[in-house]
Amino acid sequence: MARHARSAVRIRLIFMLFVISAIAFLDRTNISVAGVEMRHDYGIDQVRLGWVFSAFLIGYALFQVPAGWLAARIGPRNLLTAALIWWGVFSVATALVPPHGRHAILMLALVRFALGIGEAAVYPAGNQFIARWIPVAERGKANGLVFAGVGFGSGLTPPLITAVIAAAGWRASFYVCAMIGVAAALVWYAVARDRPQQHRAVNAMELAHIENGLPPIDHEQKTAIPWRAILRSRNVWGLFLSYFAFGYVIWIFFSWFFIYLAEARGLDLKSSAIFGMAPFLAMTAGCLIGGVLNDAISSRLGLYWGRSGLAMASFILTGLFLIVGSRVDNVALAVLTLALGGGAIYLSQSSFWSVTADIAGPHTGVVSGLMNIGCQVGGALTASLTPWIAAHYGWTAAFGAGAGIVIVGTIAWAVVDPRRLIESAPPPTGASVAVAR
């Protein structure tokens, strides 16, 4: 019987995307831990460190759509391999910028900008992979697992980077991250293929399961990107605005939470590393739970409530946790409550990426890249604005601003309907849909 069982190659490759997602956030959030030491070496304050954080996000945002286009043209296998090696190069370059150089901060910002360009490939390429490999009914769980890597990688960052810094200095932390990325590139290139039909380990039962669950697409046909339909789609702009709100909130955690614990809550390096893991562990759990809920609710109540309804509920919970957590005096309780805010917003993560695959078909990479620009613009804004708000009005106000922005995101999600397709995108299997005009 075992010889006739359905293979599970798609699941193993989704797990590999989880690993790559974790490495991506290890590489981008390591600077928030190393930043405590870097500020002293470079002689900069939080605001100028925020400029360096923002430089990464600007590079990341600008190359989302090109990355989506490349994912469709050269395939997720080649693009992610090249991207992982690119990250390794610029992670090393971060450590090589001389702190006493005449234009040290500019050079550091340019290096992080370049790192952002490389990391822009991760999720458009990953979503293009999901559009080709994962049946519609499994996309919530698949995206939940991929984006659980965000929380896992970010949660791993404080203890790992703190340990490396304690042993060998902050520069060594970037060297370690670079080696991890290059190793992952070699593994990904060896095990991944762009389509299930190309993978020798995919047996006939798995291939039939995948193909029966995907919209019918002519793989040989090269269709032009329907820019007019994309840019006129309410779904696309609803996703863009809601992902802007998402990005604004999550980058409070990615950029500033470790520093918030050290400087606002008075924790030492070791304690900050321990408490600093909490939001990211909650994000990991939120991704996994959200993916399961996404598919379960969609199967019972339809795609709108499974995707959009779940996301609206997660945003409302996030706003409540941010307001309450920022006002609690007890450190442990404050961290727990704020961590729940991080976990709550990640209940929506699989919805974002499932909807883009639902509505965009062969243009999933481009549409998800455009959506992800919104997230990075929000992140770039919070990377620079949060320390300014905290300095002038306090950290309660900084978290309160995030809570206010998620209200906007909730309203934006209300207009997103995954049954309303972008013109020329094939409908999700088994779903009742209308083409967006």
Side-chain angles (χ1 to χ4, degrees), residues 226 228-235 419-425 434-437:
R228 182 180 177 85
I230 289 171
L231 295 177
R232 294 179 63 186
S233 169
R234 281 182 292 167
N235 279 344
R419 301 165 299 181
R420 187 173 58 242
L421 306 186
I422 293 171
E423 187 175 0
S424 83
V435 176
R437 297 293 182 183

Coordinates of all heavy atoms in Angstrom, one line a residue, residues 226 228-235 419-425 434-437:
P226 N -2.0 42.3 -17.1 CA -3.1 43.2 -17.3 C -3.1 44.4 -16.3 O -3.8 44.6 -15.4 CB -4.3 42.3 -17.0 CG -3.8 41.4 -16.0 CD -2.4 41.1 -16.3
R228 N -3.9 47.5 -16.5 CA -5.1 48.4 -16.3 C -6.1 47.7 -15.3 O -6.6 48.4 -14.4 CB -5.7 48.6 -17.7 CG -7.0 49.5 -17.6 CD -7.6 49.6 -19.0 NE -8.8 50.4 -19.0 CZ -8.8 51.8 -19.0 NH1 -7.7 52.4 -19.1 NH2 -9.9 52.4 -19.0
A229 N -6.3 46.4 -15.5 CA -7.2 45.7 -14.6 C -6.7 45.7 -13.2 O -7.4 45.8 -12.2 CB -7.5 44.3 -15.1
I230 N -5.4 45.5 -13.0 CA -4.8 45.4 -11.7 C -4.9 46.7 -11.0 O -5.3 46.8 -9.8 CB -3.3 45.0 -11.8 CG1 -3.2 43.5 -12.3 CG2 -2.5 45.2 -10.5 CD1 -1.7 43.1 -12.6
L231 N -4.6 47.8 -11.7 CA -4.5 49.1 -11.0 C -5.9 49.7 -10.8 O -6.1 50.6 -10.0 CB -3.7 50.1 -11.9 CG -2.2 49.8 -12.0 CD1 -1.5 50.7 -12.9 CD2 -1.6 49.7 -10.6
R232 N -7.0 49.1 -11.5 CA -8.3 49.6 -11.3 C -9.1 48.6 -10.3 O -10.2 48.9 -10.0 CB -9.1 49.6 -12.6 CG -8.6 50.6 -13.6 CD -9.3 50.6 -14.9 NE -10.8 50.9 -14.7 CZ -11.7 50.8 -15.6 NH1 -11.3 50.4 -16.9 NH2 -12.9 51.2 -15.4
S233 N -8.4 47.6 -9.8 CA -9.1 46.6 -8.9 C -9.2 47.2 -7.5 O -8.3 47.5 -6.8 CB -8.3 45.3 -8.9 OG -8.8 44.5 -7.9
R234 N -10.4 47.2 -7.0 CA -10.7 47.5 -5.6 C -10.0 46.5 -4.6 O -9.5 46.9 -3.6 CB -12.2 47.5 -5.3 CG -12.9 48.8 -5.7 CD -14.4 48.7 -5.3 NE -15.1 47.6 -6.1 CZ -16.3 47.2 -5.7 NH1 -16.9 47.7 -4.7 NH2 -16.8 46.2 -6.4
N235 N -9.9 45.3 -5.1 CA -9.2 44.3 -4.2 C -7.8 44.6 -4.0 O -7.2 44.6 -2.9 CB -9.3 42.9 -4.9 CG -10.6 42.2 -4.6 OD1 -11.4 42.6 -3.7 ND2 -10.9 41.2 -5.4
R419 N -13.5 36.5 -4.2 CA -14.3 36.0 -5.3 C -14.4 36.9 -6.5 O -14.8 36.5 -7.6 CB -15.8 35.7 -4.8 CG -15.9 34.8 -3.6 CD -17.2 34.8 -3.0 NE -17.5 36.2 -2.5 CZ -18.6 36.5 -1.8 NH1 -19.6 35.6 -1.6 NH2 -18.8 37.7 -1.4
R420 N -13.9 38.1 -6.3 CA -13.9 39.1 -7.4 C -12.5 39.1 -8.1 O -11.6 39.6 -7.5 CB -14.3 40.5 -6.9 CG -14.5 41.5 -8.0 CD -15.0 42.8 -7.4 NE -14.1 43.4 -6.4 CZ -14.5 43.6 -5.1 NH1 -15.7 43.2 -4.7 NH2 -13.7 44.1 -4.2
L421 N -12.4 38.5 -9.3 CA -11.1 38.3 -9.9 C -10.6 39.5 -10.7 O -11.4 40.3 -11.2 CB -11.2 37.1 -10.8 CG -11.7 35.8 -10.2 CD1 -11.5 34.7 -11.2 CD2 -11.0 35.5 -8.9
I422 N -9.3 39.6 -10.8 CA -8.7 40.5 -11.7 C -8.9 39.9 -13.1 O -8.8 38.7 -13.3 CB -7.2 40.7 -11.4 CG1 -7.0 41.4 -10.1 CG2 -6.5 41.4 -12.6 CD1 -5.6 41.4 -9.6
E423 N -9.2 40.7 -14.1 CA -9.5 40.3 -15.5 C -8.4 39.4 -16.0 O -7.2 39.8 -15.8 CB -9.7 41.5 -16.4 CG -10.1 41.2 -17.8 CD -10.4 42.4 -18.6 OE1 -10.2 43.5 -18.1 OE2 -10.8 42.3 -19.7
S424 N -8.8 38.3 -16.6 CA -7.9 37.3 -17.2 C -7.3 36.3 -16.2 O -6.7 35.4 -16.6 CB -6.7 37.9 -18.0 OG -5.6 38.2 -17.1
A425 N -7.6 36.5 -14.9 CA -7.2 35.5 -13.9 C -8.2 34.4 -13.8 O -9.4 34.7 -13.7 CB -7.0 36.1 -12.5
A434 N -16.8 36.5 -9.5 CA -17.2 37.6 -10.5 C -15.9 38.3 -10.9 O -15.0 38.5 -10.1 CB -18.1 38.5 -9.9
V435 N -15.8 38.6 -12.2 CA -14.6 39.2 -12.7 C -14.7 40.7 -12.4 O -15.7 41.4 -12.6 CB -14.4 39.0 -14.2 CG1 -13.2 39.8 -14.7 CG2 -14.3 37.5 -14.5
A436 N -13.6 41.3 -11.8 CA -13.5 42.7 -11.5 C -13.4 43.5 -12.7 O -12.6 43.2 -13.6 CB -12.3 43.0 -10.6
R437 N -14.2 44.6 -12.8 CA -14.1 45.5 -13.9 C -13.7 46.9 -13.5 O -14.0 47.3 -12.4 CB -15.5 45.5 -14.6 CG -15.9 44.2 -15.2 CD -15.1 43.7 -16.3 NE -15.5 42.4 -16.8 CZ -15.0 41.8 -17.8 NH1 -13.9 42.3 -18.4 NH2 -15.4 40.6 -18.2

